[in-house]
Amino acid sequence: MIPLQHFLLIGAVLFSLGLFAVITRKNAIQILMGIELMINASILNMVAFGKYDKIDNTGQIFGLFIIILAAASVAVALVIIMNLYKRTQTIDPNQTKSLRG
Amino acid sequence: MDSVFTNYQILCFALTAITAPFLAFVFSLIFKKLAGAFGIVSITVSLVFSAILFFSIWQKQTFHFSFSWIKLGNVSVNIGILLNDLSVIMLLLVSFVALLVHIYSVEYIRKEALRYRYFAYLSLFCFAMLCVVIADNLFILYAFWELVGFASYLLIGFWFTKKKAVQANKKAFIMNRVGDVGFLIGLMILLSQFHTLDIETIFGAKGIIHSSFIHNGNWVSPFASIPDYWLTIAGFCFLLGACAKSAQFPLHSWLPDAMQGPTAVSSLIHAATMVAAGVFLLLRVSPLFNDVVLTTMASIGLLTAFMAATIALTQNDIKKVLAFSTISQLGFMVLAVGVKDNAAAIFHLSTHAFFKCLLFLAAGMVIHQLHHVKDDTKTKFDEQDMRNMGGLARFMPITTVVFIIAALSLSGLPFTSGYLSKDAILISVFEWASERGGVYWLFPVVISITSWLTTFYIFRVIFKTFFGDFKLPALINKKEKELHLHDPNLWMKIPTIILAVFCFGFFFALNPFSLEGSWLHHAFNLEPHAGGLLHLFVPIYINALSLVLIASAYFIYAKNKIVFTNHKSWYYQFSYHQWYFNVLYDKKLVGLILWKAKITFWFDKHIIDGIVHLSAKAILVLAEIVDWVDTHIVDAFVNGLANIVSSWSVWFKSVQNGKLQHYFIWMLFIFLSFIIYKVII
């Protein structure tokens, strides 16, 4: 039986790596990959804590929801990146300032 | 009410009589060509209504109408009309003399370009004078008194291009102001004492003045009680006002200078009517005067009469002689008021108005005709100087005759009006002196001498002007026949002839030797004279010596049998220079005032201005300081705040730089801060 701490530790490491990628990468695709890592870290936590609910399995069910949502969000994000590229000929988020308020 | 007219009608008559000249004044300034006609018509209207008023009021009733005009606290100033015997006789006198002078002026002023102004001013004067006469209230009287002075100012300066005329009208105005101040102070004393200025209420037969008395050194009236010296002060104040207007010592010196105006004006204003206003005021307020004031008044009158008569002896200007004669005669009137014989004062005022007006008009005729000669021959000489005249009787018989009639009246010879009125005054002075005795015997002695001097100076004028040799032709190198000297035309002759008729005593008394028989004197004379020896004695000794003096004047000035060579003597010079009053006033008084003015000017410039400038500088320095504080502290604070806000805003703006990852870092930072904050707290 793998103890809960290991799951949480791996989740935290994954989350931190994802965060690091989101903050530091110069490529929108890599940022998207960082986001996927963070989502997966959270799914891992959900599933790990799910062992305490054997009757309803809410952790697992939430995990599935999040996987579906992540797939949808990746599709949307890729489209956004495509459009960004079409508009600015770059996918480096530091090169675009159109979010500026 | 035994009058044929109702009160309302009398009021209307009085208002018409005073309004007509005012309308003439206004219309004369608008329709300039008709000014003379307006003047004559309006004053005729005044005369007609004055006559109606005279015959309905004289010795019958007192008409009094007034309404409240100004209310100040418990003091109300009324405006209204008071017609009693004194008012109506003055009303008739003023309008009658004014009418004659208006007619005379038509010819006299014919060649003046600005004659519409002359008639306008003359109408203004008549309006003011009539208002003075019928004012029921000292306040209104004062207002029109000022207006009379102003009209006189305008008329003296009628020839405003002559420097002397301008100086003379300023002098007249300023000297009159001195008296006006006195009048005003007297007015205020009366107002505070009696709470009213109504003449009838204060001075009437049942007036408050009779119920006020002196008690324990206090002057007690129904309204107030003040120390008794205020009664004396009030009397002196009114006396001062009258002195200025009636040209009494020491404020007399404006009248001779006022002769710079047209002669017709001198005749109406500075001989017959306006100068009598001072005496009129004294008569109006006569119950106010106590013994001190009355004695002073008598002394002033006596001194003025004597002084002016001595000055008139040596003057060479024909109008100057008449001016000093006027001052002297006004002195007689003031003396009469001073010895409490108001009847004689009024009587002399009336008769004097006729004969002095006539003297001036006749002198004006001489001056006018000589002026024509001057213009015709294009020569230069002084047409008023008697040294250029002489023998004019041959050329101007009518002028000579009327002048002599007036002179006889002025000298007080029998059958003339002057005989009655002047002797009335002399007899009163004798009686007054005999009651008091002692030093008061000086009064009748001096006034008798003055009376003889009067005869002498006026006959000096006659003999120098109308008799003897005609000196002018030799002076300008022409022959007598080239001068075309003759009597003026009817415009000037008729008024003088009418006045000459009124110089006879028959109009004032049926028996021209009986003073008591005079209706005018009788009306005002409350205490009949004791009669007896004085009535016989005084006229005889005055007239006897007068005749001697006339004869001596004839020999001195017409025949040149006796020649005065002492023109350098001190008494001749003293008289010729008019007792040096002008010198005294010009050098000492004017000098003193100018000196004071210089000091105050220096004070003003260096001290007052200095203070002002210093304070201005102080304020400038203060302003600089405030300015510095404003820019460096207040503004700096505000600007500093703004700068802080703007720099913060720049910094916060940089947060939203549009870079996705920066937003993310910020989100992370804030989220972590929140977590850390929650953990710590």
Side-chain angles (χ1 to χ4, degrees):
Chain A
M1 190 70 186
I2 304 165
L4 183 62
Q5 284 85 351
H6 293 194
F7 286 104
L8 294 181
L9 196 64
I10 288 173
V13 169
L14 270 177
F15 189 87
S16 301
L17 286 173
L19 190 58
F20 181 75
V22 165
I23 290 169
T24 55
R25 293 299 93 184
K26 297 284 182 200
N27 191 320
I29 304 290
Q30 287 173 328
I31 291 170
L32 191 60
M33 288 161 75
I35 291 169
E36 286 303 313
L37 277 178
M38 282 153 71
I39 290 171
N40 285 335
S42 64
I43 294 169
L44 189 61
N45 278 18
M46 290 281 179
V47 175
F49 282 109
K51 74 168 185 181
Y52 297 106
D53 184 15
K54 293 273 182 6
I55 301 147
D56 287 341
N57 288 319
T58 19
Q60 276 75 4
I61 289 167
F62 251 93
L64 280 172
F65 270 115
I66 293 170
I67 289 167
I68 292 159
L69 277 174
S73 71
V74 164
V76 171
L78 279 173
V79 170
I80 290 171
I81 292 167
M82 287 283 284
N83 277 321
L84 180 72
Y85 185 73
K86 263 187 196 168
R87 218 181 251 245
T88 62
Q89 304 302 315
T90 178
I91 50 169
D92 183 352
N94 284 334
Q95 298 293 315
T96 62
K97 289 182 175 175
S98 54
L99 276 180
R100 187 166 149 183
Chain B
M1 202 64 57
D2 52 353
S3 168
V4 286
F5 297 110
T6 62
N7 277 347
Y8 180 69
Q9 279 168 322
I10 288 176
L11 178 65
C12 286
F13 291 159
L15 287 179
T16 316
I18 58 167
T19 327
F22 184 71
L23 290 178
F25 164 63
V26 175
F27 284 123
S28 296
L29 291 177
I30 300 171
F31 306 105
K32 293 172 181 171
K33 289 196 170 165
L34 293 171
F38 278 126
I40 292 177
V41 169
S42 72
I43 200 70
T44 312
V45 170
S46 292
L47 176 61
V48 169
F49 283 106
S50 302
I52 296 172
L53 289 172
F54 179 76
F55 288 115
S56 59
I57 302 259
W58 177 255
Q59 294 285 297
K60 285 180 191 152
Q61 56 169 333
T62 297
F63 173 77
H64 186 197
F65 168 83
S66 77
F67 61 90
S68 182
W69 184 39
I70 299 172
K71 264 205 151 136
L72 291 168
N74 54 359
V75 176
S76 100
V77 175
N78 289 339
I79 180 166
I81 291 170
L82 172 66
L83 294 173
N84 57 12
D85 290 353
L86 182 57
S87 302
V88 288
I89 190 79
M90 287 291 288
L91 207 56
L92 194 63
L93 188 74
V94 169
S95 52
F96 182 66
V97 175
L99 173 62
L100 295 178
V101 170
H102 268 84
I103 294 170
Y104 179 94
S105 300
V106 171
E107 174 63 24
Y108 192 79
I109 213 81
R110 190 185 289 281
K111 288 187 177 165
E112 292 294 329
L114 293 172
R115 61 180 176 279
Y116 75 93
R117 282 196 189 178
Y118 175 86
F119 282 106
Y121 296 161
L122 212 54
S123 298
L124 178 67
F125 168 76
C126 292
F127 164 66
M129 189 67 205
L130 293 174
C131 288
V132 163
V133 168
I134 64 169
D136 78 320
N137 184 307
L138 285 174
F139 186 73
I140 305 299
L141 204 161
Y142 179 71
F144 285 106
W145 175 275
E146 294 286 344
L147 191 58
V148 163
F150 179 62
S152 153
Y153 165 83
L154 289 175
L155 283 165
I156 296 169
F158 176 67
W159 287 314
F160 55 86
T161 47
K162 266 167 60 182
K163 196 170 173 239
K164 272 189 167 178
V166 175
Q167 282 174 338
N169 72 353
K170 275 190 284 191
K171 186 172 180 181
F173 199 69
I174 290 168
M175 292 197 90
N176 269 302
R177 295 235 59 84
V178 176
D180 292 343
V181 170
F183 189 175
L184 192 59
I185 295 169
L187 209 93
M188 288 189 280
I189 294 172
L190 282 189
L191 185 63
S192 66
Q193 180 74 339
F194 296 120
H195 289 199
T196 175
L197 287 171
D198 193 274
I199 292 168
E200 188 68 12
T201 319
I202 302 179
F203 301 113
K206 292 170 189 166
I208 323 174
I209 192 96
H210 300 296
S211 57
S212 69
F213 51 89
I214 303 286
H215 180 68
N216 283 343
N218 278 326
W219 180 27
V220 184
S221 83
F223 298 102
S225 169
I226 48 179
D228 59 352
Y229 52 80
W230 284 106
L231 176 64
T232 314
I233 291 176
F236 277 127
C237 284
F238 281 109
L239 180 58
L240 183 66
C243 273
K245 201 56 109 196
S246 286
Q248 296 298 294
F249 172 83
L251 297 174
H252 62 277
S253 67
W254 66 268
L255 187 60
D257 289 21
M259 295 300 130
Q260 292 295 336
T263 309
V265 166
S266 309
S267 147
L268 174 64
I269 298 180
H270 306 117
T273 53
M274 186 191 84
V275 287
V279 180
F280 175 78
L281 176 72
L282 291 181
L283 293 169
R284 274 286 202 217
V285 301
S286 57
L288 179 74
F289 301 126
N290 63 12
D291 205 45
V292 181
V293 181
L294 284 172
T295 312
T296 314
M297 197 187 295
S299 313
I300 286 177
L302 184 77
L303 178 61
T304 312
F306 180 70
M307 174 195 76
T310 56
I311 293 171
L313 286 175
T314 54
Q315 299 303 308
N316 286 320
D317 186 324
I318 187 166
K319 281 182 80 180
K320 280 268 163 74
V321 177
L322 296 180
F324 281 105
S325 166
T326 305
I327 296 175
S328 175
Q329 296 302 307
L330 289 165
F332 273 78
M333 295 173 211
V334 171
L335 174 62
V337 181
V339 299
K340 281 192 155 180
D341 190 357
N342 292 354
I346 297 166
F347 193 22
H348 196 56
L349 197 162
S350 314
T351 58
H352 173 258
F354 289 113
F355 64 68
K356 187 50 64 62
C357 183
L358 177 54
L359 282 173
F360 267 106
L361 291 185
M365 284 156 95
V366 172
I367 294 165
H368 190 65
Q369 295 310 101
L370 285 177
H371 193 80
H372 277 305
V373 169
K374 193 160 90 166
D375 284 351
D376 290 345
T377 58
K378 298 197 171 52
T379 46
K380 277 192 180 174
F381 61 90
D382 185 357
E383 68 266 29
Q384 300 189 6
D385 195 329
M386 288 191 292
R387 285 171 296 191
N388 298 336
M389 302 174 192
L392 293 180
R394 277 173 287 158
F395 310 103
M396 308 170 74
I398 293 179
T399 312
T400 313
V401 168
V402 293
F403 198 97
I404 291 176
I405 292 171
L408 289 172
S409 192
L410 174 66
S411 315
L413 290 174
F415 300 108
T416 60
S417 55
Y419 172 82
L420 297 167
S421 58
K422 196 188 233 175
D423 285 346
I425 293 175
L426 288 174
I427 291 165
S428 297
V429 176
F430 269 101
E431 283 177 357
W432 183 72
S434 65
E435 270 173 33
R436 299 184 170 218
V439 75
Y440 291 100
W441 277 107
L442 204 60
F443 283 79
V445 171
V446 173
I447 205 71
S448 304
I449 294 171
T450 308
S451 183
W452 291 320
L453 290 176
T454 308
T455 312
F456 188 76
Y457 71 66
I458 199 65
F459 276 91
R460 171 177 173 266
V461 171
I462 287 177
F463 292 127
K464 280 193 99 161
T465 309
F466 298 108
F467 296 97
D469 302 325
F470 192 18
K471 301 177 191 77
L472 187 60
L475 281 172
I476 57 173
N477 293 322
K478 300 269 178 182
K479 285 181 181 155
E480 274 185 22
K481 284 186 182 170
E482 289 177 68
L483 300 181
H484 303 298
L485 206 56
H486 54 83
D487 270 326
N489 64 12
L490 287 176
W491 284 101
M492 291 169 95
K493 269 194 273 187
I494 287 176
T496 48
I497 291 169
I498 294 172
L499 282 171
V501 171
F502 277 94
C503 286
F504 286 105
F506 306 105
F507 285 93
F508 300 95
L510 284 177
N511 176 2
F513 289 104
S514 160
L515 178 60
E516 306 299 288
S518 161
W519 54 271
L520 185 56
H521 186 258
H522 186 69
F524 293 99
N525 201 11
L526 302 174
E527 300 155 22
H529 288 293
L533 199 60
L534 276 174
H535 278 68
L536 193 64
F537 170 67
V538 170
I540 287 174
Y541 92 86
I542 292 281
N543 283 313
L545 199 58
S546 286
L547 287 172
V548 173
L549 284 166
I550 291 171
S552 61
Y554 178 72
F555 283 118
I556 295 169
Y557 295 108
K559 293 282 168 193
N560 288 324
K561 291 220 168 144
I562 308 162
V563 183
F564 279 125
T565 49
N566 54 353
H567 285 191
K568 293 245 164 74
S569 64
W570 68 267
Y571 47 87
Y572 184 86
Q573 291 294 326
F574 191 58
S575 159
Y576 185 71
H577 290 107
Q578 306 170 8
W579 285 33
Y580 294 105
F581 271 114
N582 279 326
V583 181
L584 182 76
Y585 288 165
D586 284 352
K587 293 274 153 57
K588 302 292 172 204
L589 212 60
V590 175
L592 187 73
I593 288 167
L594 283 179
W595 184 70
K596 267 189 185 171
K598 268 181 194 162
I599 289 181
T600 43
F601 176 72
W602 181 89
F603 186 78
D604 209 32
K605 187 161 184 172
H606 290 93
I607 309 277
I608 308 275
D609 280 11
I611 291 171
V612 171
H613 287 152
L614 198 71
S615 62
K617 269 183 190 164
I619 286 170
L620 264 178
V621 170
L622 191 71
E624 297 260 316
I625 293 170
V626 171
D627 182 50
W628 186 87
V629 169
D630 212 32
T631 46
H632 290 87
I633 297 184
V634 179
D635 280 11
F637 177 69
V638 175
N639 287 339
L641 272 181
N643 281 340
I644 290 168
V645 170
S646 84
S647 59
W648 280 12
S649 77
V650 166
W651 190 73
F652 276 119
K653 208 167 76 183
S654 72
V655 170
Q656 305 199 347
N657 58 359
K659 291 180 180 171
L660 193 65
Q661 286 165 321
H662 288 235
Y663 287 173
F664 206 89
I665 291 165
W666 271 109
M667 277 161 63
L668 187 67
F669 172 72
I670 288 164
F671 183 73
L672 283 178
S673 328
F674 181 71
I675 297 292
I676 290 162
Y677 173 74
K678 280 310 253 187
V679 169
I680 291 168
I681 301 299

